Structure formats: C-alpha cells, structure tokens
Amino acid sequence: MEAPKTQQPIALDPPREYLNYINGKWKPSRSGQWFENRNPADQDDLIGLFPLSTEEDVQEAVEAAREAFARWRRVPAPQRGAIVQRAGDILRARKEEIAREMTREMGKILLETRGDVQEGIDTAYYAASEGRRLFGHTVPSELPDKFNMTIRMPVGVAGVITPWNFPLAIPTWKIFPALVCGNTVVFKPAQLTPKTATTLVEILEEAGLPPGVLNLVHGSGSGVGAAIVRHPGVALVSFTGSTEVGIQISRMAADSLKRVSLELGGKNAVIIMPDADLELALEGVIWGAFGTTGQRCTATSRLILHESIHDLFLERLLERTLRLRLGNGLDPETEVGPLVSEAQRQTVDRYVRIGLEEGARLLCGGAPATEGALSKGWFYQPTIFTEVQPHMRIAQEEIFGPVLSVIRVRSLEEAIEVLNGTRYGLSSSIYTRNLQDAFYAIREIEAGITYVNAPTIGAEAHMPFGGVKQTGNGHREGGWEVFDFYTETKTVYIDYSGRLQRAQIDTERLSGEA
Ligand code: UN1
C-alpha cells in the first residue's frame, strides 16, 4: 500500500448549525438537541451540527405534508415535473461543489461522488419526463356504449428514510418520483449524511416547491424514523438499509396497512468462467469489491472462481489490490476512501476475525490502515479471503466493507448454486464469452439484477433497481416501475348508453347465449 499524499487545503463550508425544514421554514428541533457530523477521513474536521429531532417534530412535519397534499395533488403532473426538472438543472450547475461536500461527509472518492450527483440529475430528468406520461390504460368494455380506463392517483404523504452510502442519489430515487406522482414527503436522511440531504432540500426549495410539499426531519432511526413509520397520517414508506431494520419497518407499518418499499441487504457475487476476458474481469472485481470501500448494497462481496483459472486470477487480483491507494477521497490520487464511521470499521474488523476463526485464509488486508494521515480516519485495508466455504458467515452475511470472499467451484452449475445459496438476491454478475452460459446464468440466477461481463454495481436511473428474497419486498426503485409504487390505480367506467347495463349478465344477451 502506498503512503497517502499530503492534502491540499480545499475551501469547504465552515461548520455551523443546520436545521429541519417544515412547512417551508427552516427551524431547529423542538428538543433543542443537536448531533455532530464529522469527516470520516479526518475526525478533526467538524462539518456541522444537526437537529436531533423527536416525535413532536415528525408530527408537525406530517401535518404540514397532509395539508400541502390537498393542493399539490391537483397541480398538473407536467408542472410538478417541471419543478423536479429545475432541481435537476441546479444539481447540474452545482455538481462539483456537491460532490466535494459529499466526499467530505461520507468519504467515498470524488470520482464516485460526482457519479452520485449525476445519478440524481439523471433521476430528475427521467422523473420530470414521466410527468408528461404517467400512463393509465384504456381498454374495450364488454358492453356497448361504455368506456373503460385506469388513471393514476397520488397516494398521500410518503415517508422517505435513506442511507448514507448514496447520500444524494438514493433520496432522489424516492423523492423525485413521489413528488411527480403528486404525493407530499417527510424525509429522514441518515445521521451520517445530513448535509448532502439538506443541500437537496434547499435545491428543491429554490426550484419552486411549495411549502409543506417536502419536509426534512433530521435525527435517529429509532426516534424520527420509527415515528414516521408509525404515524397514521403517512400513507407510504420507502426505506433503503439493512434487512433487519426493513423487517422491523414492515412490522410497524402493518398496523396501519401502509404500503412499504424496502431495498435491503445484499451478498452479491461475481462468477468468472474459464473463457472470460480475465483482464476485464479483474477491473470489474476491483471496482465492484473496493469501490465505495465496499459500502454499497450492490458491492461484490463474493467472488466465485472456476477452478481452472482460480490460482492465476488470484495472483493478478492480489497484485492489483496491493497497489490500491488509500486516502482522503478529495485527493485525486486516492482510489479507496475511509469507511463511513468507527462503528462500521469495528463491524468490518469483527467479520475479519470471524473469517479467520471459520478457517478461511487471509490473502491480504485484515486490519485497519493507520499509517500517516490515515490514522485520522476510519480506513481499512482492502481484504481478500480465499478457501472460503459457501456456508461460512463471511460468505453469507452482508459486511458492508472492503472484504472479498473467494470461493472455488468446478462448474457453472456449482457456481450458480453457490451464488444462489444466500438469503439475499440483489445484484449478480458473470464473466464469460460463451453465449449459452450467459443466457443459462440469466435464467438461473436468483437476483433482481444480473450483469454479463460487467461488475455488480452500475445501475442506471431509467432501469428498475431492486432485489429478490430478503433483499426487499418485491418493489423496484428507479425506472418506470417506481411510478407504480407512488400511485394508486383508479379504475373508471363511463357508461354512455343511457340505460342500465349489467356486466356479466347483459353480455350474455349480446353474444346470443341467452
Ligand atoms: C446502493 O448501493 O444502495 O448500481 C445503490 C449501483 C449504484 C446504486 C447502488 N448506482 O451500484
């Protein structure tokens, strides 16, 4: 591992107190309490203080959102889309500045935070265009002089609870379609990335969103998050995070029959077949496993290697991994930033101990990275375990860090059996030049996303995103499918015959069966 370079000072916002945004006004929590937000690459760098909000603040936000809903639902969808489009324009103009603040806030490298902002821009433009579609169906009636159609209705107040690993993109995945569909929103971002969330809300305010349509409440999951999920005035909840929390949310939401969209854990695997382009696969595995320091729900955390290329591939992988440059993500030379927090680093380190106890072989890494300036942040050495058995905990449980578990297999069938052998099913990948094997894998892999000759990360804003099994509850984000989640279907029959026509009954007479 090369020593990190000394940092150039970069002008970033000085620390201050940030606020909640309720009914178009910026205000502190009624609790009067605050929490700190610090740079994970440099603990001396205080970014700001944010309100530690309570159930009372949530109550106020939900009331505001309910009142605003009465008006917002009547604004024509193309006009709602135009506001989201303006938000996209502002994001585009401020892309570099937001990317830098995001790197400072959660650690991933600038190249990736720029991508995160771009995903928000793409989502804005895609959602805005949907304001001019939001198609229903028109279909023939079984009776004469009768017209059948479906239209989309907004649902109500949407509770949006988001993680820290995509501090801009994931909130936009949820908030933009929710707004275009005519819902109002109460937004609780992760406590580790409240600043980027605040910036997004400021941008939507500047874009012209009326008061109460979007409300921001900072605070903890157990405090603010749970209050949103339990609130009877909230109609929808969209959550991205761990499977454990997703299950709790499902339970809490059941009492009021809320519609819930859950995007949860993953244990994504890449399969590499003997005929694959190994250089291409190598770049894909490095990017998938160590990009965002492994903190993506789509991260590559298992590598399934065919025995005939196993040793050769590992040799190259090790060589490439050891050359990865760790450091502050604002430094253009850096390839791997810190983990987001001390707790996250402890979790990763605990899993490394578990892997060793289970008998896996540590090929590289396996400890915090603390040389020089790295000692100020939550850095961890990129880690590879080999001789991993599919049942081991490091091959089954989501670690959310730079830890890759390598499993050796003898055939494609075995590879897919191993790939499918976890409770998760988000992303997956196969590297092969064989068309038959690729299509066989597409059919047999149990995952919401399958890549062929590409890494497990790389979702595009206009494609559905989500997983099967315990990765979620069947909904998709992004793409056209998310607009189903944020709308109710209304079925409309218009009878212009001027007489009573009875479905199923008067049809018989028409077909001559009576
Ligand atoms: C996530 O990790 O929660 O395809 C989302 C990707 C990203 C989105 C990941 N564009 O990996």
Side-chain angles (χ1 to χ4, degrees), residues 243-257:
T243 295
E244 286 62 37
V245 174
I247 291 169
Q248 286 176 30
I249 288 180
S250 259
R251 284 211 183 99
M252 280 187 241
D255 286 337
S256 52
L257 292 176

Side-chain angles (χ1 to χ4, degrees), residues 373-405:
L374 298 184
S375 66
K376 290 179 144 200
W378 310 122
F379 291 91
Y380 204 86
Q381 296 170 4
T383 299
I384 301 174
F385 276 109
T386 60
E387 314 296 333
V388 176
Q389 299 305 313
H391 66 267
M392 289 179 179
R393 286 184 63 191
I394 57 166
Q396 289 289 329
E397 297 174 22
E398 184 172 50
I399 301 174
F400 233 63
V403 181
L404 181 66
S405 297

Side-chain angles (χ1 to χ4, degrees), residues 59-273:
Q59 176 63 27
E60 196 185 331
V62 175
E63 274 168 26
R66 283 184 71 86
E67 262 176 48
F69 179 65
R71 295 180 299 276
W72 183 244
R73 58 183 274 271
R74 294 200 183 141
V75 173
Q79 289 183 34
R80 296 191 299 245
I83 293 176
V84 170
Q85 170 140 359
R86 274 200 291 284
D89 294 340
I90 301 169
L91 282 171
R92 199 162 69 156
R94 293 178 57 185
K95 180 172 170 179
E96 187 62 22
E97 166 221 336
I98 297 169
R100 300 188 92 82
E101 291 285 357
M102 200 193 304
T103 292
R104 180 191 182 197
E105 184 168 49
M106 57 71 71
K108 68 185 175 186
I109 63 173
L110 260 181
L111 182 80
E112 293 187 52
T113 50
R114 286 187 193 121
D116 195 314
V117 182
Q118 188 59 47
E119 207 163 332
I121 298 167
D122 296 343
T123 302
Y125 292 158
Y126 181 69
S129 76
E130 200 60 45
R132 292 191 178 270
R133 283 187 295 267
L134 285 182
F135 296 135
H137 298 282
T138 59
V139 294
S141 168
E142 63 189 40
L143 289 160
D145 301 329
K146 194 176 169 202
F147 188 86
N148 290 1
M149 66 178 171
T150 65
I151 57 173
R152 287 175 187 271
M153 313 278 289
V155 189
V157 177
V160 166
I161 304 173
T162 58
W164 45 264
N165 63 339
F166 282 82
L168 190 91
I170 292 180
T172 67
W173 284 6
K174 301 178 191 298
I175 293 171
F176 290 169
L179 295 177
V180 168
C181 291
N183 305 287
T184 56
V185 174
V186 176
F187 172 31
K188 191 213 90 70
Q191 265 184 293
L192 291 163
T193 50
K195 173 125 191 327
T196 308
T198 303
T199 302
L200 175 62
V201 173
E202 285 168 359
I203 286 172
L204 279 155
E205 182 186 33
E206 187 188 335
L209 208 62
V213 173
L214 170 62
N215 304 276
L216 169 68
V217 187
H218 291 289
S220 69
S222 56
V224 174
I228 292 173
V229 175
R230 285 210 192 90
H231 199 294
V234 173
L236 293 169
V237 172
S238 179
F239 169 77
T240 298
S242 71
T243 295
E244 286 62 37
V245 174
I247 291 169
Q248 286 176 30
I249 288 180
S250 259
R251 284 211 183 99
M252 280 187 241
D255 286 337
S256 52
L257 292 176
K258 280 187 183 59
R259 187 183 302 187
V260 179
S261 171
L262 301 171
E263 208 271 279
L264 309 173
K267 193 67 191 174
N268 316 293
V270 169
I271 295 173
I272 302 183
M273 295 300 290

Side-chain angles (χ1 to χ4, degrees), residues 119 163 165-166 170 173 240 263 295-299 400 426 451 456-460 465:
E119 207 163 332
N165 63 339
F166 282 82
I170 292 180
W173 284 6
T240 298
E263 208 271 279
Q295 303 168 111
R296 299 192 186 214
C297 38
T298 51
F400 233 63
L426 182 54
Y451 290 92
T456 53
I457 64 187
E460 299 178 22
F465 180 95

Side-chain angles (χ1 to χ4, degrees), residues 333-355:
E333 303 277 296
T334 298
E335 292 172 286
V336 182
L339 289 162
V340 74
S341 66
E342 183 174 21
Q344 199 63 30
R345 186 161 80 172
Q346 281 166 357
T347 302
V348 170
D349 209 44
R350 198 173 62 241
Y351 270 107
V352 168
R353 306 294 130 228
I354 291 170

